[in-house]
């Protein structure tokens, strides 16, 4: 019997509402817990399971990267099929390949993109249930105001005001290269496209993120888009280094971990080639 | 108190899996049952509830049309708000307006469009769960073969082979003007667009449909796309007037009632202006 120790790199997608987030918690449905349970009979002994990043309860992923490493007789293809057959409906292994022993989904990636979807209107189309933040009301969010505010949130800076009070990171210095707000097509959702309703999404790409950072940035930008807060107030919020200065935490169901970037994918990531930060892959 | 009898035309959207279809069934969660329950306290007496067409259990709608008629003190806007506040998560009233006493969602409409989504690949992305027919495997469905077969299913003809054995319509003569099969964009779904996976949709527009007609047509066309059946076999299936001659019934969760067309919307409907059929609005 071939008892070699194998390292597998997985691309995992999941629909958030079925899980109490990524991280294993005894007796709770979590993504890590479900994956470990599905993988256990496919390894001949203890194995490691490690993700590129934790996601909160209710947050979706279309590109979570996971290392599964341990004694295994299966090929990557067989493992992927067997995992998909054993996983519950809300999770799927999209890719699985064998990697070297040094591959690490967290320290090996140089950037992550998140997408946050918001729906503005007097009602929520059922097809969007569980997938957006429904900002009830009429009248579009101001794209101009949001873009002006977002400009202050890009760059390398201290995001202390934009992280959860429970964030355990040693510091909140992060690089955000992309923070865009764009209207999305609603033709496939609305029978009769209605100007009082709008779907839009934020795309955020950075080297790393503090706990709830994307959700607090989005919550604050939406307040700007609704005219409840000035775009010019953002620099003051950053300077305050105080969670209370920023806006509300946007709800989890609007957020998707969209892509994790590894060296060799610099061009795809949209990270400018002159960007420099600690751990920059082109340094 | 104003006890006038009012007729309201509603545009209703719903997500299928939560309901045992449109039609009221005692003790079962149905769309009609949920709507009646939400509407009851908003009318001052018995009221009528009638849809443009029934949908099966699991089928979605983004544009079901419904008549609510009875003694009511509320304006159309207030009724819509009150209904949305009382309806469960899977249903929403997208529009509500007062209409004349002759308006009827079924006999008053001249065409309906359905959309049927299929996903071909070795796995099902969680975001598509409940929304597509997952045709497990690798290798694309043949668009050429499906188009050749679909050509035989357009026109005014007898669809006896393409209706459920339980269909209660007196005959199966119907007009299908549009039956298209098109690949859809997968960039928002897949982290790394993968040629072995494909999303595609059928769009079907006709004057009326027999029970399960769209689902049996799609089931048969998918068999053609997989090479299990010849495109040239379709005329023989139509001639057989026998349900056993056609393919399987595609599962409900891929189907959406996409739009119901009323006189004045002929140009939008894509129905050719020289089309003629019983009840044609431009006759």
């Amino acid at each position: 019997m071939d008892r070699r120790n194998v390292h597998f790199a997985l691309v995992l997608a999941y629909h958030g509402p079925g899980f109490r987030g990524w991280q294993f918690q005894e007796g709770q449905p979590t993504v890590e817990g479900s994956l470990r349970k599905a993988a256990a009979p496919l390894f001949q002994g203890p194995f490691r399971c490690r993700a590129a990043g934790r996601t909160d309860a209710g947050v979706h992923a279309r590109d979570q990267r996971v290392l599964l490493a341990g004694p295994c007789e299966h090929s990557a293809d067989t493992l992927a099929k067997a995992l998909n057959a054993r996983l519950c409906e809300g999770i799927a292994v999209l890719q699985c390949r064998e990697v070297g022993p040094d591959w690490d989904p967290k320290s090996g990636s140089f950037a992550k993109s998140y997408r946050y979807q918001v729906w503005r209107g007097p009602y929520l189309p059922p097809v969007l249930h569980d997938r957006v933040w429904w900002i009830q009301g009429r009248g579009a969010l101001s794209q101009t105001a949001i873009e002006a505010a977002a400009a202050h949130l890009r760059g390398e800076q201290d995001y202390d005001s934009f992280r959860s009070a429970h964030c355990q990171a040693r510091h909140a210095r992060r690089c955000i290269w992309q923070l865009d707000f764009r209207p999305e097509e609603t033709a496939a959702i609305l029978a009769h496209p209605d100007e009082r309703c709008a779907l839009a999404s934020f795309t955020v790409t950075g080297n790393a993120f503090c706990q709830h950072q994307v959700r607090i940035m989005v919550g604050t930008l939406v307040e700007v888009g609704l005219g409840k807060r000035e775009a010019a107030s953002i620099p003051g919020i950053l300077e305050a280094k105080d969670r209370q200065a920023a806006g509300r935490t946007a709800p989890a169901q609007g957020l998707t971990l969209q892509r994790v970037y590894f060296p060799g994918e610099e061009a795809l990531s949209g990270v400018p080639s002159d960007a420099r930060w600690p751990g920059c892959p082109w340094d």
Side-chain angles (χ1 to χ4, degrees), chain A:
Chain A
M1 203 200 278
D2 181 7
R3 288 233 166 197
R4 68 201 178 105
N5 206 48
V6 198
H7 294 70
F8 295 105
L10 273 60
V11 173
L12 202 70
Y14 43 89
H15 191 61
F19 306 101
R20 300 283 314 149
W22 164 261
Q23 199 179 17
F24 180 81
Q25 296 172 63
E26 191 64 49
Q28 296 282 342
T30 64
V31 181
E32 186 186 9
S34 302
L35 184 61
R36 280 188 170 278
K37 193 177 162 192
L42 305 169
F43 283 84
Q44 279 87 51
F47 60 96
R48 284 193 296 144
C49 177
R50 182 172 158 84
R54 295 175 190 174
T55 47
D56 299 333
V59 171
H60 319 287
R62 73 163 196 172
D63 183 26
Q64 174 67 284
R65 301 296 181 97
V66 179
L67 170 72
L68 283 181
C72 185
E73 293 171 352
H74 301 295
S75 69
D77 267 5
T78 308
L79 185 74
K81 269 185 209 153
L83 286 171
N84 279 331
R86 298 177 47 83
L87 284 164
C88 54
E89 262 178 344
I91 317 186
V93 175
L94 307 196
Q95 289 182 12
C96 178
R97 64 191 171 88
E98 209 180 314
V99 287
D102 296 333
W103 189 81
D104 183 89
K106 189 162 180 177
S107 63
S109 59
F110 69 88
K112 286 196 195 87
S113 281
Y114 285 91
R115 182 175 183 228
Y116 196 101
Q117 286 193 292
V118 298
W119 171 262
R120 169 70 165 175
Y123 56 79
L124 178 66
V127 73
L128 294 180
H129 159 66
D130 260 356
R131 285 137 202 260
V132 299
W133 177 12
W134 175 23
I135 301 160
Q136 204 163 349
R138 293 167 195 259
L141 303 185
S142 165
Q143 190 168 354
T144 317
I146 290 177
E147 281 171 0
H152 296 295
L153 287 171
R154 293 189 205 107
E156 183 185 343
Q157 49 192 337
D158 192 319
Y159 291 92
D160 225 9
S161 297
F162 292 89
R163 64 165 166 169
S164 152
H166 305 105
C167 179
Q168 303 200 343
R170 285 193 309 275
H171 65 83
R173 197 152 190 94
R174 301 286 185 275
C175 296
I176 304 283
W177 299 292
Q178 181 189 25
L179 174 47
D180 292 335
F181 177 68
R182 296 227 176 84
E184 291 193 22
E185 184 57 59
T186 55
I189 294 159
L190 288 169
H192 318 284
D194 181 334
E195 72 210 8
R196 298 169 311 172
C197 297
L199 182 64
S201 68
F202 293 88
T203 303
V204 190
T205 306
N207 73 322
F209 295 91
C210 300
Q211 190 179 24
H212 294 175
Q213 184 179 344
V214 175
R215 291 166 58 190
I216 299 169
M217 293 196 302
V218 167
T220 307
L221 292 174
V222 163
E223 290 174 11
V224 170
L226 289 167
K228 293 181 177 172
R229 189 184 282 270
E230 295 290 321
S233 69
I234 303 291
I237 299 173
L238 284 160
E239 280 158 28
K241 299 186 191 299
D242 175 5
R243 170 70 189 88
Q244 297 302 315
R248 63 165 289 189
T249 305
Q253 76 269 13
L255 187 61
T256 300
L257 172 55
Q258 197 74 353
R259 179 128 191 189
V260 182
Y261 294 99
F262 287 80
E265 299 173 332
E266 289 82 357
L268 279 173
S269 70
V271 176
S273 58
D274 60 353
R276 291 289 178 278
W277 70 95
C280 170
W282 44 77
D283 254 352

